Amino acid sequence: MTEFLTPTGPGKPFAAPDPLRRVSRTAALRAAASSIATPTRSASSLAAAAHQVLQGLAGRRVPRLGSVRERLQNAEATWDLRELDRALHALQDASAAVDFLPARGRAFPVAEFQRQAGSLGTAARRMATLGLHFVGRHAADAAVTRLLWAELLMESRSIDKRVRQGLLWLRDMELELGVRRAAATAEVSQRALQELGRRGEAIEDKLHLVQGLCGAARSARSLGDQVQAHRGALCNLLHEEVRPASLKLQHRLQALLEGCATQHPEPAELLHAIDCRHELEVAVTRAVAELHHLQCLQNELQTQLAWMAQKAKPIAEAPKA
């Protein structure tokens, strides 16, 4: 008999289930089930169930979705790229203004070259400061923004699921009304069925409005993903191409200025500096193009988020039961 005994040892003690916790969890599950319980086949019951879905959406879920949308819209409104755009163009202009070749028959213009190099250095430092700020902010905000977009998507999916259930019940109601209309002979019954049909149509119209809001949320999320991706691409351009090329050209210009104190620059040195400037101009041109694309996407996203707010306004007033 000993082989059936429970072995003793330092095992985890057995904890009996808490009856209060089990009762509360059961009650919560029953409440959740009753909120989506299938109504009876009667047309009035189906209409009432669809109306209850609409009231729940208009009273709780749509405002919750609107709150997430508002937080996203406020966050996106703070992304102003105009200063960064001006800094990129200033660096581009300062780089193009550097004259490496003196006029025919004249000595190398050291003083003017020094002034041009100084202007380039000022523009490069300004660009470096704004670029580091942009990259740092994107790194800090990206995770929070992704969570907001995930919340918006999950909320819209949950709403859309309830809308489809309500529309399914309304479709069943129409089938039931068709059967009852064919059998109804009394004028009072016919008027009652017509009124019930009109009520179902009003509920269906509002549910379609909610469905349209969910579609707008999905479109906004798609734009949000594109904005995040292009912000990351611009960060890479600024950090991996513009900044290194800018530092490389500044170092080359500094070497030329130090050499000018004793002798005129060699042609090979000037050509090397010209190549460095070309590398910077290519990097800046790519960054400007990416920034302008990002600006267009940000404007489009702001428009889409504002459109979501407009689509939510008619939903606030649900048809009366």
Side-chain angles (χ1 to χ4, degrees):
M1 295 291 291
T2 57
E3 64 270 17
F4 296 103
L5 297 177
T6 304
T8 61
K12 184 176 180 181
F14 174 74
D18 187 351
L20 292 178
R21 180 180 298 178
R22 183 170 58 186
V23 170
S24 62
R25 185 173 181 180
T26 302
L29 291 173
R30 286 176 178 173
S34 63
S35 65
I36 57 173
T38 303
T40 62
R41 279 295 297 183
S42 69
S44 59
S45 175
L46 291 165
H51 181 262
Q52 185 179 4
V53 167
L54 178 58
Q55 281 190 318
L57 294 176
R60 295 187 301 274
R61 307 306 295 270
V62 170
R64 192 183 306 167
L65 182 67
S67 176
V68 180
R69 177 208 59 78
E70 186 176 2
R71 290 161 64 191
L72 281 166
Q73 191 168 13
N74 292 337
E76 287 297 323
T78 62
W79 283 94
D80 190 350
L81 303 178
R82 289 175 294 182
E83 193 66 25
L84 185 61
D85 187 35
R86 285 192 289 266
L88 280 169
H89 280 96
L91 179 59
Q92 197 173 39
D93 295 340
S95 173
V98 178
D99 187 5
F100 293 99
L101 301 177
R104 182 184 295 274
R106 296 186 180 181
F108 188 80
V110 179
E112 178 62 18
F113 186 76
Q114 188 173 13
R115 185 194 66 79
Q116 294 169 356
S119 298
L120 176 67
T122 301
R125 286 189 294 273
R126 175 64 175 162
M127 181 63 243
T129 300
L130 292 174
L132 288 174
H133 175 73
F134 180 85
V135 172
R137 184 185 172 188
H138 175 68
D141 292 358
V144 177
T145 304
R146 280 196 297 268
L147 288 176
L148 283 176
W149 283 118
E151 186 177 353
L152 184 85
L153 182 63
M154 288 188 294
E155 195 66 46
S156 64
R157 284 177 175 173
S158 177
I159 291 173
D160 191 60
K161 181 179 180 181
R162 285 163 172 77
V163 168
R164 290 198 303 269
Q165 180 62 72
L167 291 174
L168 181 62
W169 285 336
L170 289 176
R171 188 189 66 183
D172 293 343
M173 183 199 76
E174 282 298 320
L175 295 176
E176 184 67 17
L177 284 176
V179 174
R180 294 182 60 183
R181 286 192 189 105
T185 55
E187 183 178 352
V188 174
S189 299
Q190 292 177 355
R191 285 201 301 267
L193 293 175
Q194 289 175 356
E195 178 60 27
L196 187 57
R198 282 193 295 268
R199 200 177 99 196
E201 291 175 358
I203 296 173
E204 184 178 5
D205 290 341
K206 283 295 181 71
L207 287 176
H208 280 305
L209 289 177
V210 178
Q211 202 169 42
L213 177 63
C214 294
R218 289 192 296 270
S219 298
R221 193 278 174 96
S222 177
L223 281 171
D225 288 345
Q226 294 180 56
V227 167
Q228 288 294 98
H230 282 279
R231 278 185 190 145
L234 182 57
C235 287
N236 292 335
L237 284 171
L238 295 175
H239 182 68
E240 298 177 6
E241 296 188 25
V242 174
R243 181 169 171 78
S246 175
L247 291 173
K248 187 177 179 181
L249 178 58
Q250 290 180 80
H251 293 159
R252 179 54 52 187
L253 294 180
Q254 185 61 35
L256 286 174
L257 286 171
E258 292 173 357
C260 287
T262 57
Q263 62 181 2
H264 293 306
E266 295 291 334
E269 295 176 344
L270 292 173
L271 288 175
H272 192 185
I274 292 173
D275 288 340
C276 291
R277 178 173 67 179
H278 177 71
E279 182 180 344
L280 175 61
E281 288 177 344
V282 170
V284 171
T285 300
R286 292 186 61 194
V288 167
E290 184 62 48
L291 185 143
H292 289 172
H293 190 189
L294 177 58
Q295 282 179 320
C296 293
L297 286 173
Q298 287 186 174
N299 293 337
E300 190 176 353
L301 177 57
Q302 284 284 359
T303 301
Q304 184 66 26
L305 290 171
W307 176 236
M308 276 186 64
Q310 292 298 320
K311 291 184 78 68
K313 286 182 178 179
I315 302 171
E317 298 179 0
K320 295 182 181 181

